Amino acid sequence: NAGVTQTPKFQVLKTGQSMTLQCAQDMNHEYMSWYRQDPGMGLRLIHYSVGAGITDQGEVPNGYNVSRSTTEDFPLRLLSAAPSQTSVYFCASSYSYTSRGGRRNEQYFGPGTRLTVT
Amino acid sequence: GENVEQHPSTLSVQEGDSAVIKCTYSDSASNYFPWYKQELGKRPQLIIDIRSNVGEKKDQRIAVTLNKTAKHFSLHITETQPEDSAVYFCAASIGRDDYKLSFGAGTTVTVRA
């Protein structure tokens, strides 16, 4: 299994440009999420999906769109890039299961996309 | 929404000593509290988690405690080793949905040889 893959690894955009960050997983996980990571702020949830065709907003959704037409893919679209969107973006997939320690939901993160908006 | 605060932001310990990281959360409905480790330039990885019906959980040198009344939880690493050097993030579920997480700002742990 490739796990969670993201493309591109690096991207530089000019203010106002649009682009799509790709995310794919081959583990048949039902849940997928997008986070952004900024220095000193941890990871913040942008959008998430609980299954194909179902998406919802996270903590910081403004300026981003998502769709989930298949279980495997969860692209993140930047509609009109702004310098405030300079960040490292992580996609994650997960599934819930019950182990001896109770119910768990382990998020598997992709390698990240480093985006710079000038 | 959920607000997770994490302290300290940096922690330097001598090899073999213990490291403790503390987090507080605001949403009383949160019921799932994972901890992630992120090495430099790498992706975050789950190291341990705890649910609100459990007060403490151990996995070898790592333990997590939860005080649901006070809304705080802690990570304890004993007998630290150089490979424990990394950024550690606590997280809390947003409400009861364990697939949605709110993260703390992270603690950079440095283990001195």
Side-chain angles (χ1 to χ4, degrees):
Chain A
N1 286 353
V4 182
T5 58
Q6 290 183 238
T7 56
K9 285 195 167 83
F10 302 94
Q11 182 71 50
V12 178
L13 290 178
K14 290 189 178 352
T15 298
Q17 287 184 313
S18 62
M19 80 158 293
T20 299
L21 278 62
Q22 302 292 343
C23 174
Q25 53 96 3
D26 61 358
M27 298 174 282
N28 202 33
H29 286 172
E30 56 192 311
Y31 304 110
M32 294 188 76
S33 304
W34 275 103
Y35 293 88
R36 58 178 289 172
Q37 184 174 30
D38 302 296
M41 297 187 74
L43 294 100
R44 290 183 291 168
L45 182 63
I46 304 171
H47 285 284
Y48 66 95
S49 169
V50 300
I54 307 170
T55 64
D56 207 345
Q57 296 181 350
E59 298 172 299
V60 289
N62 292 342
Y64 307 95
N65 273 356
V66 291
S67 60
R68 185 123 179 248
S69 55
T70 67
T71 299
E72 295 78 19
D73 299 299
F74 191 44
L76 177 73
R77 278 182 287 278
L78 279 70
L79 309 171
S80 177
S84 61
Q85 293 179 303
T86 293
S87 188
V88 179
Y89 290 84
F90 286 99
C91 177
S93 74
S94 68
Y95 71 106
S96 293
Y97 63 98
T98 301
S99 68
R100 193 174 54 181
R103 181 182 154 103
R104 306 184 76 185
N105 188 299
E106 179 173 354
Q107 303 227 358
Y108 292 80
F109 285 87
T113 294
R114 186 172 293 274
L115 176 68
T116 302
V117 183
T118 61
Chain B
E2 177 66 277
N3 182 33
V4 179
E5 295 194 357
Q6 182 172 348
H7 301 279
S9 57
T10 60
L11 182 58
S12 180
V13 296
Q14 190 69 36
E15 183 177 357
D17 287 350
S18 295
V20 180
I21 303 170
K22 298 183 179 182
C23 291
T24 61
Y25 62 98
S26 59
D27 186 353
S28 57
S30 297
N31 63 359
Y32 180 61
F33 307 91
W35 287 85
Y36 283 81
K37 176 183 180 182
Q38 186 178 29
E39 296 175 355
L40 190 62
K42 300 284 182 65
R43 68 193 81 185
Q45 291 192 300
L46 179 72
I47 55 171
I48 195 168
D49 54 9
I50 192 168
R51 286 219 162 251
S52 58
N53 57 345
V54 175
E56 183 176 5
K57 185 176 178 182
K58 279 185 183 177
D59 183 2
Q60 299 182 335
R61 295 186 297 108
I62 296 173
V64 58
T65 59
L66 171 66
N67 183 328
K68 197 156 168 61
T69 303
K71 295 199 190 73
H72 62 71
F73 56 114
S74 302
L75 178 73
H76 303 251
I77 307 173
T78 58
E79 300 172 20
T80 53
Q81 300 167 4
E83 53 265 36
D84 294 330
S85 295
V87 180
Y88 292 81
F89 293 96
C90 63
S93 62
I94 298 174
R96 295 185 176 278
D97 297 326
D98 55 14
Y99 51 86
K100 295 188 295 184
L101 299 177
S102 184
F103 283 80
T107 298
T108 301
V109 174
T110 303
V111 179
R112 306 186 307 272

